[in-house]
Amino acid sequence: MKSLKIGIFCSVLVAFPAVAGGGHDHGHEKQKDRGQASSHNSHAKNEGHEHGDGAGPVGSPAQPSSAQSTILVSLTDQMKINFSEDLSSIKSGKVIQFLVTNEGNIPHEFSIGNQAEQKEHAKMMRDMPDMVHSDGNTVTVDPGATKTITWHFEGDDTIVFACNIPGHYEAGMFQNVRLNP
Ligand SMILES: [Cu+2]
């Protein structure tokens, strides 16, 4: 488990300089470039820590066997995330298994986080559109496929369920719900 996290962390670190080198906003002048590169690196470090193991302000990934209830989720090309249950049933301390089916014809993802995490995630997706998620708070689901994510909700932040395929969140592919004690 530990080495898995480090693996993800390293791949994030390795991916960043490549983006910085080839990126559009970078390389105009050396000084500026260096500043951006170092801020990217410290960013990547945070990412590896919070994002890599999936633990964050609204909880952490859990074993499927520890789930107390199951919610069916469908993702559609109309940029909707539909849930089989009323999301107000989500309380801090609950472990919920999400069975996520992509009912559309294009890939979608299902990601669990708070507002800040989803913003970061969306930015990374814009920088690295082909990034495939293996971290515990996001599943990328191919058309017709179903994937499972089990989450232990903790905290009192607002949960943001989102698809961060570029353009999808902006088109309304998210759902906010207050995490209640
Ligand atoms: Cu989507």
Side-chain angles (χ1 to χ4, degrees):
M1 197 61 192
K2 199 92 194 167
S3 66
L4 177 68
K5 288 176 199 172
I6 290 165
I8 293 164
F9 170 58
C10 287
S11 69
V12 169
L13 261 190
V14 167
F16 263 101
V19 169
H24 221 75
D25 304 328
H26 303 274
H28 293 307
E29 55 182 275
K30 277 226 161 84
Q31 198 74 7
K32 195 179 160 207
D33 209 36
R34 206 172 302 148
Q36 286 182 341
S38 71
S39 80
H40 270 317
N41 280 344
S42 63
H43 170 78
K45 209 169 279 178
N46 286 339
E47 213 63 43
H49 205 74
E50 275 182 50
H51 212 84
D53 61 8
V58 296
S60 53
Q63 291 300 319
S65 58
S66 66
Q68 298 159 317
S69 59
T70 298
I71 294 179
L72 306 179
V73 181
S74 64
L75 309 173
T76 75
D77 289 349
Q78 286 71 43
M79 304 299 160
K80 290 279 182 289
I81 305 177
N82 300 317
F83 296 88
S84 66
E85 306 292 328
D86 184 357
L87 295 182
S88 62
S89 65
I90 298 177
K91 307 265 187 242
S92 183
K94 271 202 162 186
V95 179
I96 298 174
Q97 181 177 54
F98 296 89
L99 285 178
V100 187
T101 301
N102 182 352
E103 293 180 349
N105 295 309
I106 57 172
H108 289 289
E109 60 164 50
F110 179 75
S111 177
I112 303 171
N114 72 350
Q115 196 76 54
E117 287 177 307
Q118 298 295 11
K119 270 196 180 147
E120 281 302 318
H121 182 186
K123 187 181 176 306
M124 285 179 80
M125 294 286 288
R126 284 194 298 273
D127 289 346
M128 295 177 276
D130 296 329
M131 142 180 217
V132 172
H133 291 282
S134 52
D135 41 3
N137 72 332
T138 302
V139 284
T140 305
V141 191
D142 287 331
T146 297
K147 283 200 181 168
T148 303
I149 181 166
T150 306
W151 194 260
H152 181 193
F153 288 95
E154 264 178 316
D156 60 358
D157 208 336
T158 295
I159 310 160
V160 180
F161 298 103
C163 171
N164 285 304
I165 307 273
H168 292 204
Y169 181 96
E170 292 81 351
M173 202 156 186
F174 64 93
Q175 189 79 246
N176 293 355
V177 61
R178 184 80 202 174
L179 181 54
N180 291 309

